[in-house]
Amino acid sequence: MQNATNEKSGLSPADSQPTCGRPDCICALPLGERFILWALRQWQCELIAWQVDRELPPEGSALVHGFGVAGLLDSLTDFAVLMDVLLFGARRALEIHAPSCSCLGRDEATLIALCGLAQGDHDGPLLASLEAMMVPSAARVAALRLKSFAMALADAGLQLALPASAAAGRLN
């Protein structure tokens, strides 16, 4: 009789997925993290085509369609404001890779981890991390929008949060 879990990792066959083995490859990311990465990259890709005064991506954009398919259309405003705050409030330009890139960049990994902190109610580490990345007033706005976005992900079944004991090392 076969064991229902992988004895080495403790994962059930449904939880484990084949990966290429590269430590920076996105193929090992869980679905929720892949969605965040896709949204970050799509935002970066489409940003150039949008008018400067738009609050949200135009109707028919890949972001609107993707958020709609995921049942997250109501959270697109929070995501859009978050990205604007990151764009204009960050102490340096964030490096977001092209949508077709298979590598996970450092800034992308940090933003995914911040979503996990927000979803797990780790508000202190979340705000401290954002304040290190951006001016304090922008960090507070980003934390609020990030929290709303992360909770919408959770409501849609995309769990990112770590247990409280593991949250301290998430960004390191």
Side-chain angles (χ1 to χ4, degrees):
M1 177 183 257
Q2 289 185 348
N3 190 347
T5 62
N6 178 333
E7 290 178 20
K8 194 172 196 178
S9 68
L11 297 175
S12 72
D15 291 334
S16 62
Q17 54 185 347
T19 67
C20 68
R22 282 189 8 238
D24 65 341
C25 186
I26 64 174
C27 68
L29 292 177
L31 183 60
E33 293 183 9
R34 283 186 189 208
F35 180 81
I36 295 166
L37 181 62
W38 170 83
L40 292 170
R41 290 178 175 186
Q42 197 61 43
W43 177 271
Q44 179 78 12
C45 184
E46 292 182 12
L47 183 63
I48 297 166
W50 300 337
Q51 294 177 7
V52 174
D53 61 349
R54 283 197 190 262
E55 272 186 29
L56 292 174
E59 192 67 34
S61 77
L63 267 173
V64 171
H65 178 72
F67 272 69
V69 168
L72 292 165
L73 200 51
D74 290 342
S75 70
L76 185 54
T77 301
D78 288 319
F79 179 77
V81 172
L82 169 65
M83 293 308 293
D84 281 346
V85 170
L86 287 170
L87 180 66
F88 296 110
R91 297 184 193 276
R92 65 170 178 80
L94 298 178
E95 183 181 335
I96 307 293
H97 293 191
S100 61
C101 183
S102 65
C103 296
L104 180 64
R106 174 180 258 171
D107 290 337
E108 295 167 329
T110 297
L111 293 170
I112 290 169
L114 290 171
C115 285
L117 289 174
Q119 200 178 79
D121 289 328
H122 304 291
D123 297 340
L126 173 65
L127 189 56
S129 298
L130 287 169
E131 285 179 349
M133 293 174 61
M134 54 189 19
V135 297
S137 58
R140 287 187 290 278
V141 173
L144 290 172
R145 294 304 179 140
L146 190 56
K147 183 83 170 176
S148 295
F149 175 61
M151 297 317 291
L153 290 171
D155 291 344
L158 300 173
Q159 297 295 323
L160 309 168
L162 291 174
S165 62
R170 179 70 175 185
L171 292 178
N172 294 328

